[in-house]
Amino acid sequence: MSSAKERSFISAIGARPDVRMFFIFGQDESAVADIASQMTALLVGSERVDIDSDRIRNDPALLADEASALSLFGDKRHIRLNFRREEGLAAVENLLALEGDANPVIATAGNLTKASKLRKLLEAHPRAMAFICYLPEEGDAAAAVMAYAATTGLKIERPLAARIAGYTGQDRKLAKAEIEKLALYYDASPQRPATVEVPVFEALSAETGEENVYSLVHVVMGGDLRGTGRELIAARDMGVDAIRIIRAMQRRVTMLAAMRTKVDNGANPGAVVKATRSIFWKDADNYAPQLGRWPSTRLAGLNAHLLEVEAKLMQVRDGLAVTILEEELVRIARAAARRG
């Protein structure tokens, strides 16, 4: 489920010892996480050191020190760095200034604008490689599902592939899991190909409905208070991860903000929705009302708030994270309802 450019970037982790930092960022956080995981998997036998941007913000020398340090047992090591926000620029500059051998840093971040100082630095520096992950359009997501399915021996018709992409929220990790589940059911392989039938997909996907958080996002952003309560109960019962829900909300807000800009410039909301290829056609009716409820200024404020909520969720235990998430989503749904 990757392009030639993406595969080239991933393989560079083993071919470019001169690169200090491999930086993956963008709107498609599932792709960001998947690429980072694939790169880590190529570093067989390498000790992994995890750092987040809070630490390097407070200690600008830490990142360079870790990149220069030897493993406890003299083995290879690599660093996984997650930027919660755009911070730690001095630490990154210190890393890029290192001379001689150094351990590679695989860094991830969310969406950064072209004005971002961090993005500008890492896209231009000869000792860094950057890869941006855009949200896939519906056609691209369906094609990616079909391509990955083919590697497992499965043939999936395009309408079903688009349905799988929509069902999983265009989250490539979840889409892969759905395909692998189907491959197990059919006992498929490149040597034993099989064609996926719609009833089989429906029967299997019903067992893991918790992976689909789109219905929850729809009712929250649409101001449906009863629906929000119903979907929150279902999510809690099924144990859906709070971080995954808040990131799905972030992706929706980012998408709506881009669409809202066109509406602000005079475009018809329905026409904007119809022209946005990343929207699964069965979901299209949900978007125009949401554009009406959420003007650009409020979407910008909501996006900033969701980032704060995500940071809070990552700092508390799971049970408390669910409570915080539910309270925040109810607040957002109420705000949407008032603007209807």
Side-chain angles (χ1 to χ4, degrees):
M1 300 179 72
S2 60
S3 65
K5 185 177 179 181
E6 180 181 316
R7 290 193 296 271
S8 177
F9 178 83
I10 291 170
S11 63
I13 191 69
R16 292 289 305 275
D18 58 306
V19 174
R20 296 285 179 260
M21 179 176 285
F22 297 87
F23 183 55
I24 314 115
F25 70 102
Q27 296 175 336
D28 189 348
E29 297 209 13
S30 73
V32 170
D34 185 49
I35 292 170
S37 295
Q38 289 186 59
M39 297 179 83
T40 295
L42 292 176
L43 301 174
V44 180
S46 175
E47 178 191 358
R48 172 173 168 170
V49 178
D50 287 282
I51 301 175
D52 63 39
S53 55
D54 287 338
R55 291 181 63 194
I56 64 171
R57 178 190 61 192
N58 298 323
D59 185 354
L62 175 65
L63 188 59
D65 289 345
E66 289 289 353
S68 302
L70 294 174
S71 167
L72 182 63
F73 301 104
D75 300 324
K76 293 181 179 179
R77 69 196 323 241
H78 68 280
I79 298 159
R80 284 287 298 269
L81 170 62
N82 177 49
F83 286 95
R84 294 175 183 263
R85 295 168 292 277
E86 186 175 353
E87 55 193 356
L89 190 66
V92 175
E93 290 172 336
N94 289 337
L95 170 73
L96 298 177
L98 279 179
E99 299 292 343
D101 295 334
N103 301 302
V105 178
I106 301 171
T108 57
N111 193 33
L112 298 175
T113 68
K114 291 182 179 179
S116 159
K117 292 181 180 179
L118 180 65
R119 176 176 173 177
K120 284 182 177 180
L121 172 64
L122 292 170
E123 286 184 330
H125 202 284
R127 289 183 175 174
M129 288 184 68
F131 189 87
I132 185 169
C133 299
Y134 297 101
L135 287 173
E137 295 185 342
E138 183 183 333
D140 295 335
V145 168
M146 295 168 70
Y148 183 71
T151 68
T152 69
L154 290 177
K155 180 181 179 182
I156 298 180
E157 298 296 335
R158 180 171 288 273
L160 180 55
R163 185 174 172 182
I164 292 173
Y167 169 80
T168 57
Q170 296 187 357
D171 183 314
R172 63 166 67 187
K173 184 177 180 181
L174 297 180
K176 284 182 177 180
E178 287 296 320
I179 293 166
E180 288 161 4
K181 181 169 59 178
L182 288 164
L184 283 172
Y185 175 85
Y186 281 101
D187 192 24
S189 72
Q191 294 74 39
R192 294 188 306 278
T195 299
V196 178
E197 301 162 302
V198 172
V200 171
F201 164 72
E202 290 176 342
L204 293 177
S205 63
E207 298 172 5
T208 55
E210 73 274 17
E211 297 295 358
N212 184 8
V213 300
Y214 258 36
S215 57
L216 175 57
V217 173
H218 277 319
V219 293
V220 171
M221 295 301 291
D224 181 352
L225 294 174
R226 285 189 177 182
T228 296
R230 182 178 63 251
E231 294 294 337
L232 284 174
I233 291 170
R236 178 183 278 250
D237 289 344
M238 294 176 177
V240 182
D241 180 63
I243 293 293
R244 204 169 76 75
I245 292 174
I246 210 70
R247 287 179 176 172
M249 287 286 296
Q250 290 169 356
R251 289 194 296 271
R252 174 60 57 83
V253 170
T254 298
M255 179 186 291
L256 287 174
M259 296 164 66
R260 184 69 213 197
T261 297
K262 296 177 183 178
V263 173
D264 292 344
N265 290 331
N268 176 272
V272 171
V273 171
K274 188 174 181 180
T276 305
R277 292 179 57 198
S278 59
I279 295 176
F280 188 46
W281 66 271
K282 286 188 177 181
D283 294 331
D285 290 345
N286 292 299
Y287 284 85
Q290 290 174 26
L291 284 174
R293 293 176 185 275
W294 293 97
S296 294
T297 53
R298 293 191 180 274
L299 284 170
L302 178 56
N303 185 57
H305 180 64
L306 289 172
L307 290 172
E308 294 174 358
V309 173
E310 181 186 1
K312 186 186 297 184
L313 294 178
M314 295 177 73
Q315 295 170 3
V316 299
R317 65 183 186 276
D318 290 344
L320 183 55
V322 171
T323 300
I324 292 171
L325 174 74
E326 291 178 351
E327 290 176 351
E328 292 292 346
L329 293 186
V330 169
R331 286 178 59 198
I332 294 167
R334 284 176 176 159
R338 288 195 297 271
R339 297 171 200 146

